[in-house]
Amino acid sequence: MPADLSEPIERFRARHPHWASRPMRSRPHLSIKGGAGLSDDPACLDLLRRITARTAPFEVRLGDLAVFPGEDRVLHLRVESPGWTRLHRTLVDTIARHTNAEMHPLEIAGWIPHVTVLRLTAEALEQRERVFAEAHRTGLPANTSFTARSLSMQHLDAVADWWKPVHTFDLGGPA
C-alpha cells in the first residue's frame, strides 16, 4: 500500500492500542496469498517472477470499514479489485500445481481481500459504533483507490515478532 494510505491506519493503531487484542505485526497491507508452497528456493522465486512479469499493475479500491462475518474481531477496510482476484487465483493455482503444497481452504474458495486495521478486544466490540466513528474521524483511507505495482513476499522475524519484506516482484504485464 502506498505510504499516504497506510499512514492514517498506523496513526489510528497508535492512538487506540487499548482497542487492539494484540499488537499488529506488520504495516498495513493487502494480503494476496498465504505461505503454503512459498519459499526462498530459487525455483519458487523464479515462478513468482514469471507470474508477476505477466501481470499488469491493477487498481485496488478500498471500501468501507467492516468486520468479517462470523469473525467480528478483525476490523478491516473492504477491498474491491478484479486484478487482485485474478492474481490471487493465478498464484494459488500455479503454486499448488508446481509445488504440490496443500493450500489453505480459504485460499481456494473464500479468501476475502481486505486491509486489516485492528484485531479488536471484547471491550472494543461492545463499543463498535464508537470504534467505527473514531476510525472515520481519524481519516482512514476508506472509499479511495490506488494502483498495485508490486508484490512483496514477507517472512515473520521471530525475534522482532514482525513481518518483514524479503523479496519484491514488480508487476510488469501489459495494461
Side-chain angles (χ1 to χ4, degrees), residues 2-160:
D4 64 321
L5 298 180
S6 64
E7 287 169 359
I9 297 171
E10 300 233 50
R11 282 194 302 274
F12 178 78
R13 290 173 175 177
R15 264 189 227 138
H16 300 290
H18 56 285
W19 284 338
S21 62
R22 67 175 166 94
M24 295 304 295
R25 300 185 308 168
S26 66
R27 293 187 48 83
H29 64 279
L30 172 58
S31 295
I32 196 157
K33 168 139 186 20
L38 296 175
S39 72
D40 290 323
D41 177 85
C44 180
L45 298 177
D46 184 57
L47 179 61
L48 292 171
R49 278 188 207 92
R50 288 194 318 262
I51 292 169
T52 55
R54 293 188 314 256
T55 303
F58 53 87
E59 288 299 304
V60 174
R61 177 159 173 65
L62 299 176
D64 289 326
L65 281 169
V67 293
F68 293 123
E71 176 51 69
D72 56 359
R73 289 195 180 271
V74 179
L75 178 66
H76 66 274
L77 291 169
R78 295 174 197 239
V79 168
E80 297 173 22
S81 176
W84 179 95
T85 302
R86 282 189 301 275
L87 181 54
H88 169 75
R89 213 42 290 137
T90 298
L91 288 167
V92 169
D93 294 345
T94 305
I95 291 168
R97 189 171 56 252
H98 286 313
T99 67
N100 294 318
E102 186 174 334
M103 298 294 124
H104 189 285
L106 287 177
E107 286 190 288
I108 296 166
W111 195 291
I112 298 171
H114 68 282
V115 174
T116 300
V117 175
L118 281 178
R119 296 182 187 282
L120 300 171
T121 63
E123 297 81 30
L125 287 170
E126 292 171 6
Q127 305 172 38
R128 186 167 148 171
E129 288 181 27
R130 181 173 171 228
V131 171
F132 273 60
E134 180 61 24
H136 286 293
R137 273 194 300 281
T138 301
L140 293 184
N143 301 309
T144 190
S145 297
F146 67 93
T147 301
R149 299 185 185 286
S150 64
L151 180 70
S152 172
M153 180 190 284
Q154 300 193 7
H155 288 257
L156 181 61
D157 180 320
V159 174

